[in-house]
């Protein structure tokens, strides 16, 4: 039986979301095939935590030996065959954790260092994909060294704009700015989350998300699209995790447009060198899909987009997990 480490946690505001995704992965995999354990990482504190399928027991934990990613529990050294990375944000989505596993020769579930580093940066990923003719929003990247010039930014991007951490997720510290005087506070809020901030022009249209993964026999499989209809002005944290949204699968768009977006998603999968499961978010303006972002470690809670789309496709989620695990060994 393969020993699987479900690696969760991380060093971003998405820590708790990651723990919920780890619970999802645990529920999706076939425990008659895999001996699964949950590894939580936060800074230099890496530990295996007791988990019973329902709750974490943080009073029972065992430190990870980072020299070989093993754990000694009750006198027995546990060595893992595979790491399912479900860390949202750093170090799981920016390539750092992947680099560690590459050096150990440990197979894992998602894309490698280069693809992770590229897709983690919303600005650089969208600029890269624009080179392949994929439409995206106009944007400006700011670092802490840059002077914030609201008049210049608005002249270039117009209003409203979205201000968000460039490498963040789950809509933490994201603001829709409608007035020029609100731009600077929104930038400061985003800088409180990450050292780079992206400001994007507003795109009015229908938001959809497209899941894609590679099967164990090497074929790319796209999933039915989900249409996202937030109750508030955009798909913020409350919409994502507190139910303030309609998620309609399959999306209410034409079969031709659906096929076009799925084809674009498979191209993006190859352009960035993805592995495992990815999710690409789009805004459809007219009949033209514009990319929002590429997520190479998408949320995997019971109510996340990917499980919804797997169900709508008539697939068994445990079979999808088999494809991800066995296809990357």
């Amino acid at each position: 039986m393969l020993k699987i480490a479900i690696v969760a946690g991380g060093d971003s505001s998405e820590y708790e979301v990651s723990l919920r995704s780890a619970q999802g992965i645990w529920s999706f995999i076939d425990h008659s095939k895999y001996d699964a354990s949950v590894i939580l990482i936060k800074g230099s504190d890496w530990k295996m935590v007791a988990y019973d399928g329902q709750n974490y027991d943080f009073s029972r934990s065992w430190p990870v030996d980072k020299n070989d990613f093993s754990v000694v529990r009750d006198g027995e050294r546990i060595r893992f065959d595979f790491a399912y990375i479900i860390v949202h944000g750093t170090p799981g989505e920016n390539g750092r954790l992947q680099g560690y596993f590459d050096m150990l020769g440990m197979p894992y579930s998602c894309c490698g260092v280069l693809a992770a580093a590229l897709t983690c940066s919303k600005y650089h990923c969208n600029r890269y994909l624009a080179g392949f003719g994929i439409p995206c929003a106009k944007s400006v990247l700011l670092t802490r060294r840059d002077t914030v010039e609201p008049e210049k930014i608005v002249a270039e991007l117009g209003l409203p704009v979205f201000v968000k951490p460039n490498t963040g997720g789950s809509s933490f510290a994201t603001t829709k700015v409608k007035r020029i005087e609100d731009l600077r506070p929104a930038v400061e809020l985003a800088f409180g989350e990450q050292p780079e901030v992206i400001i994007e022009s507003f795109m009015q249209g229908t938001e959809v998300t497209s899941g894609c993964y590679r099967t164990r026999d090497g074929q790319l499989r796209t999933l039915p699209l989900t249409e996202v209809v937030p109750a508030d002005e955009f798909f913020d944290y409350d919409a994502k995790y507190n139910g303030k949204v309609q998620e309609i699968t399959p999306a209410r768009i034409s079969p031709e447009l659906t096929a076009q977006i799925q084809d674009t998603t498979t191209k993006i999968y190859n352009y960035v060198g993805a592995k495992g499961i990815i999710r690409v978010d789009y805004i459809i303006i007219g009949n033209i899909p514009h990319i929002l972002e590429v997520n190479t470690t998408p949320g995997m809670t019971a109510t996340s987009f990917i499980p919804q789309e797997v169900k709508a496709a008539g697939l068994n989620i445990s079979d999808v997990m088999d494809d991800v695990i066995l296809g990357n060994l």
Side-chain angles (χ1 to χ4, degrees):
M1 187 179 290
L2 290 171
K3 285 185 166 56
I4 307 296
I6 301 171
V7 187
D11 303 323
S12 75
S13 295
E14 295 182 271
Y15 182 89
E16 295 297 332
V17 177
S18 174
L19 266 61
R20 290 165 61 182
S21 285
Q23 291 174 312
I25 296 298
W26 179 284
S27 71
F28 300 149
I29 64 173
D30 186 342
H31 291 270
S32 70
K33 298 177 181 177
Y34 309 113
D35 180 7
S37 302
V38 176
I39 304 292
L40 298 186
I41 66 176
K42 189 172 182 64
S44 61
D45 182 21
W46 294 23
K47 58 192 176 185
M48 184 168 77
V49 173
Y51 182 69
D52 63 4
Q54 296 290 329
N55 300 294
Y56 297 104
D57 183 354
F58 296 103
S59 68
R60 297 175 59 226
S61 65
W62 303 266
V64 173
D65 184 343
K66 300 186 189 72
N67 291 302
D68 60 2
F69 196 65
S70 65
V71 174
V72 175
R73 181 182 62 189
D74 302 329
E76 175 192 4
R77 184 167 294 275
I78 300 170
R79 301 183 188 277
F80 298 100
D81 301 302
F82 186 86
Y84 200 110
I85 299 174
I86 199 64
V87 175
H88 305 311
T90 186
E93 276 187 294
N94 57 8
R96 295 178 182 179
L97 193 56
Q98 290 89 333
Y100 164 77
F101 284 131
D102 283 341
M103 293 180 71
L104 291 181
M106 170 76 70
Y108 50 86
S109 58
C110 54
C111 65
V113 174
L114 177 59
L118 172 64
T119 56
C120 189
S121 170
K122 297 176 177 65
Y123 179 85
H124 293 100
C125 184
N126 285 358
R127 298 281 75 72
Y128 170 73
L129 293 174
F132 292 97
I134 298 174
C136 61
K138 294 180 181 179
S139 60
V140 170
L141 181 69
L142 297 176
T143 70
R144 295 189 191 280
R145 297 185 299 273
D146 296 321
T147 301
V148 180
E149 301 177 275
E151 292 79 9
K152 183 177 179 180
I153 292 169
V154 170
E156 182 174 350
L157 302 181
L159 284 172
V161 293
F162 279 103
V163 180
K164 51 192 171 184
N166 184 46
T167 61
S170 294
S171 298
F172 282 108
T174 296
T175 308
K176 183 179 180 181
V177 175
K178 301 178 182 178
R179 305 184 308 164
I180 192 169
E181 56 265 35
D182 295 330
L183 185 59
R184 196 182 299 274
V187 169
E188 289 305 312
L189 176 67
F191 271 138
E193 185 73 18
Q194 297 282 345
E196 291 184 339
V197 170
I198 182 173
I199 305 175
E200 293 181 316
S201 60
F202 174 66
M203 297 188 293
Q204 180 71 49
T206 300
E207 183 171 351
V208 298
T209 186
S210 173
C212 179
Y213 69 100
R214 193 178 296 279
T215 64
R216 74 196 81 174
D217 60 1
Q219 301 300 308
L220 280 182
R221 175 176 284 165
T222 53
L223 298 169
L225 306 186
T226 299
E227 181 180 348
V228 182
V229 187
D232 296 324
E233 292 209 28
F234 69 98
F235 193 43
D236 60 7
Y237 184 90
D238 272 347
K240 289 178 178 176
Y241 303 111
N242 295 326
K244 293 187 176 181
V245 66
Q246 278 186 284
E247 297 171 358
I248 303 164
T249 310
R252 299 170 297 181
I253 60 175
S254 70
E256 294 78 15
L257 188 52
T258 295
Q260 178 189 344
I261 291 172
Q262 290 172 324
D263 180 64
T264 299
T265 299
T266 61
K267 289 177 179 175
I268 289 172
Y269 194 104
N270 289 321
Y271 290 154
V272 303
K275 292 198 312 179
I277 303 170
I278 72 165
R279 198 192 75 228
V280 184
D281 301 335
Y282 301 89
I283 291 284
I284 303 169
I285 304 174
N287 277 322
I288 301 174
H290 292 62
I291 188 171
L292 286 172
E293 63 179 270
V294 180
N295 192 325
T296 55
T297 311
M300 291 295 285
T301 70
T303 59
S304 293
F305 289 126
I306 294 297
Q308 289 183 51
E309 294 174 3
V310 167
K311 182 178 180 181
L315 300 171
N316 188 315
I317 189 71
S318 67
D319 291 337
V320 175
M321 295 293 100
D322 285 347
D323 280 328
V324 172
I325 295 169
L326 300 177
N328 286 298
L329 282 175

